[in-house]
Amino acid sequence: VLHAYSIGATCAVHLASKFGSEISGLIVESGLMSVKSLPMVAMLAPMIFQADPTKFQRLKEPFNTLEKMPTISCPTLVMHGDRDEVVPFSQAEQCYRGCGASRKRLRRCVNAGHTDARMAMNWDEEVKVLLDLATSDTPADEAPPATYFPEGVLVEAHSLSTE
């Protein structure tokens, strides 16, 4: 099971799209889906590209994370704070809508920002449900709460790869 936070989502989604048959589940927590859509980038782009504002629009999205989402087939949990000022909640909605998995869940963390989403919800329980989904054929919306947390199934992605 891949677990990714923020920019780590670009790596985890890449791995899940490339090695889908070997990935049992994906957790995207406050995940970055589009660098070009970040508020900070949108604010700085006009200053950086003053001479030719259309240049920014012509730049490719660096990681193409949203384009990879339809290829995801493993059970997926998307968790995101609805007051995230770094990566807007709309990116979580795009992640969820674009995800090709038949077993997927989107959890809005009410009044949470970028770094405290897991504090605003029952994070452990949501992860347990995903782990149950990763080991069963139960549709995500019908999954009962998990009662255990199997050891050794959580892997965190911390680096980016172009391969």
Side-chain angles (χ1 to χ4, degrees):
V1 174
L2 298 173
H3 170 232
Y5 169 76
S6 195
I7 195 169
T10 60
C11 181
V13 168
H14 174 76
L15 291 171
S17 69
K18 189 164 183 150
F19 303 104
S21 63
E22 300 174 44
I23 306 298
S24 298
L26 174 64
I27 301 169
V28 177
E29 183 179 345
S30 302
L32 172 65
M33 295 290 119
S34 169
V35 172
K36 289 178 67 177
S37 297
L38 291 175
M40 180 65 75
V41 173
M43 184 179 73
L44 292 174
M47 291 184 280
I48 295 169
F49 297 103
Q50 286 180 21
D52 183 1
T54 64
K55 237 182 210 182
F56 177 70
Q57 295 306 320
R58 293 193 311 261
L59 288 175
K60 288 177 57 176
E61 182 64 43
F63 305 113
N64 293 319
T65 307
L66 283 173
E67 290 179 19
K68 295 174 185 174
M69 289 308 301
T71 66
I72 305 298
S73 59
C74 61
T76 301
L77 170 61
V78 180
M79 299 182 287
H80 209 105
D82 61 4
R83 292 198 175 175
D84 191 329
E85 294 179 356
V86 177
V87 179
F89 182 77
S90 60
Q91 290 202 23
E93 294 172 314
Q94 292 172 327
C95 173
Y96 176 79
R97 279 194 310 270
C99 182
S102 60
R103 296 178 292 162
K104 60 186 178 180
R105 297 163 60 98
L106 172 61
R107 293 298 178 250
R108 175 188 298 258
C109 304
V110 179
N111 294 322
H114 190 66
T115 60
D116 60 351
R118 70 173 57 188
M119 306 299 186
M121 62 181 300
N122 192 346
W123 189 88
D124 291 343
E125 197 62 34
E126 291 294 340
V127 172
K128 289 176 186 178
V129 170
L130 175 79
L131 294 174
D132 277 349
L133 288 172
T135 58
S136 76
D137 293 328
T138 306
D141 293 332
E142 298 173 20
T147 57
Y148 65 96
F149 195 131
E151 291 185 41
V153 296
L154 187 62
V155 177
E156 292 190 36
H158 290 283
S159 61
L160 298 175
S161 171
T162 57
E163 297 188 30

